[in-house]
Amino acid sequence: MDTILDIFRALADPTRIRIMLLLLKMELAVGELAQILEQSQPRISRHIRILDEAGLAERRKEGSWVFLRPGQSAELDIMRRLFRSDNVVSSQQAIDDEAKLALVRQARAETAERYFEAHAEEWDAIRSLHLPEDDVEQAMLALLKDVSLGHMLDIGTGTGRMVELFGPNSEKVTALDKSPEMLRLARAKILGNESDKTEQAALARKTELRLGDFNHLPIDDGQVDCVLLHQVLHYAQHPEAVLTEVSRVLGDGGTVMIADFASHDREELRTAHAHARLGFSDDSMKSWFAASHIDMVQSRTLDGGELTVKIWVGRKSGLSRIQTGSGIAPSKSLSPKRASL
């Protein structure tokens, strides 16, 4: 009874109802809510606290920003029908707020575009050293095409490309990055209007963006089924420690895929692009996998430029045999020539 009373008290204010209508469409920062509702941030924060205490909304800190999303209250699932009723969504206030929400989406997209333009030369310089990214993505898709991804963790999500690629075949997605700026770019790209019935909206609803470091993953033991590290591990000072963390959060039989560079001698990548490691050898990767109780079940080599791209796939808990429907063969390396897909 107390829970229901708390919910109705929380909704006994027009501003808080407007906030809920907006959060059911997409995750928003406190400043964005203040902009849409044309109220001060302290006032918005007070309303958010009330909604949070009732389980209708929850706050998440990301750097200096605080983001809001729908809460975990079981009653919220029932109330969604009320929030989405024609009488509510067709009201003039809801229509006006939706128009302002569109401006927030536009501002996010413009910010992302400016960032991409500012860093285009830097990214193009690295891309020019290896084969086209589309070839790498197709190889990754081929290796995981029959794997049940379940709860997928994308470490170092960056702009969210791996989420776009593998998210539709996952039950749940956690996209992790230590850069608040990169998470805002991924948010602009992935988290659109969650109330739409499009595939993009379906992906947004099951994706959680989280601030965190690969050395200390903010996830409980055994909570994920698949981990992706796409061009991320070369930033690690201690890759073996990262793989220990990956193994910790993986459930038994979980899959890890790493796409990165083979060992190389391009020293300028250390200074110009902050690479801590100049690629990885198969021996090193196998050793780190074994130390983390992960079996190496597949590797693929993709030649096509000055830098060679490698993909390593492992499975936790010593499952070295093929599992029904896994599509991953026992450990072997493909031809050192560029793989044909």
Side-chain angles (χ1 to χ4, degrees):
M1 180 68 74
D2 288 344
T3 300
I4 296 296
L5 288 174
D6 288 341
I7 288 173
F8 281 113
R9 289 191 188 104
L11 294 176
D13 182 279
T15 296
R16 292 196 284 275
I17 292 178
R18 292 171 67 191
I19 290 174
M20 287 307 305
L21 289 173
L22 291 165
L23 294 185
L24 288 172
K25 293 181 181 295
M26 62 186 286
E27 186 179 74
L28 290 163
V30 174
E32 291 172 334
L33 280 170
Q35 175 187 340
I36 294 170
L37 301 175
E38 297 181 343
Q39 298 183 21
S40 68
Q41 288 202 27
R43 187 173 181 182
I44 293 297
S45 295
R46 182 177 65 82
H47 287 304
I48 288 167
R49 176 179 55 80
I50 294 171
L51 291 170
D52 188 4
E53 291 172 351
L56 296 175
E58 61 183 29
R59 292 171 283 193
R60 183 174 55 79
K61 189 171 175 57
E62 191 175 286
S64 60
W65 290 41
V66 176
F67 284 88
L68 288 303
R69 60 190 172 195
Q72 301 298 316
S73 172
E75 289 76 13
L76 184 57
D77 288 336
I78 300 172
M79 303 198 73
R80 286 176 190 266
R81 286 179 290 177
L82 176 62
F83 287 131
R84 290 170 177 165
S85 69
D86 289 341
N87 288 336
V88 174
V89 298
S90 63
S91 67
Q92 190 58 51
Q93 185 66 76
I95 292 172
D96 292 344
D97 287 349
E98 175 67 33
K100 294 175 184 175
L101 184 64
L103 294 177
V104 167
R105 289 197 197 95
Q106 181 181 343
R108 286 183 178 184
E110 290 173 350
T111 298
E113 186 63 30
R114 287 194 297 271
Y115 184 92
F116 292 142
E117 289 177 356
H119 293 78
E121 184 175 341
E122 170 189 340
W123 290 337
D124 287 345
I126 297 179
R127 289 194 187 106
S128 68
L129 297 176
H130 62 82
L131 78 167
E133 194 61 36
D134 182 64
D135 291 356
V136 178
E137 292 177 358
Q138 291 304 313
M140 296 175 72
L141 284 168
L143 286 169
L144 292 187
K145 66 183 178 67
D146 296 319
V147 175
S148 177
L149 301 182
H151 179 186
M152 185 189 83
L153 170 64
D154 180 26
I155 297 178
T157 195
T159 62
R161 176 56 183 161
M162 292 297 103
V163 176
E164 289 184 314
L165 207 60
F166 293 97
N169 294 324
S170 304
E171 297 173 11
K172 177 182 177 182
V173 178
T174 299
L176 184 85
D177 206 289
K178 72 174 185 177
S179 165
E181 185 174 30
M182 293 309 295
L183 285 178
R184 286 194 279 276
L185 294 176
R187 182 175 291 104
K189 193 174 186 181
I190 298 168
L191 301 188
N193 191 339
E194 297 182 32
S195 64
D196 287 348
K197 298 185 182 299
T198 62
E199 291 184 7
Q200 179 71 18
L203 178 59
R205 283 192 291 272
K206 63 182 175 182
T207 299
E208 178 184 13
L209 299 176
R210 298 192 64 175
L211 186 70
D213 188 278
F214 52 26
N215 293 298
H216 305 285
L217 297 172
I219 297 172
D220 292 336
D221 296 358
Q223 293 301 301
V224 299
D225 304 296
C226 181
V227 177
L228 302 181
L229 295 103
H230 174 248
Q231 295 293 356
V232 170
L233 199 60
H234 56 244
Y235 292 110
Q237 294 292 338
H238 303 287
E240 65 278 18
V242 174
L243 284 171
T244 297
E245 271 290 271
V246 166
S247 179
R248 178 183 66 78
V249 303
L250 267 178
D252 289 343
T255 300
V256 56
M257 172 181 279
I258 299 172
D260 216 304
F261 297 125
S263 296
H264 61 86
D265 59 1
R266 300 299 295 258
E267 283 290 340
E268 71 273 15
L269 293 182
R270 291 190 196 274
T271 53
H273 303 291
H275 289 200
R277 296 283 181 138
L278 298 183
F280 304 97
S281 68
D282 284 331
D283 288 343
S284 292
M285 199 64 72
K286 287 177 183 177
S287 174
W288 296 332
F289 270 43
S292 303
H293 306 289
I294 298 172
D295 289 336
M296 180 78 72
V297 295
Q298 185 74 291
S299 66
R300 181 163 290 187
T301 302
L302 302 174
D303 290 330
E306 296 179 50
L307 296 180
T308 295
V309 175
K310 293 283 298 186
I311 303 175
W312 297 273
V313 182
R315 188 184 290 119
K316 186 178 175 181
S317 291
L319 301 179
S320 57
R321 66 184 184 279
I322 299 177
Q323 294 184 351
T324 302
S326 71
I328 298 180
S331 178
K332 66 177 181 179
S333 292
L334 301 185
S335 165
K337 299 295 183 183
R338 177 173 162 183
S340 119
L341 301 176

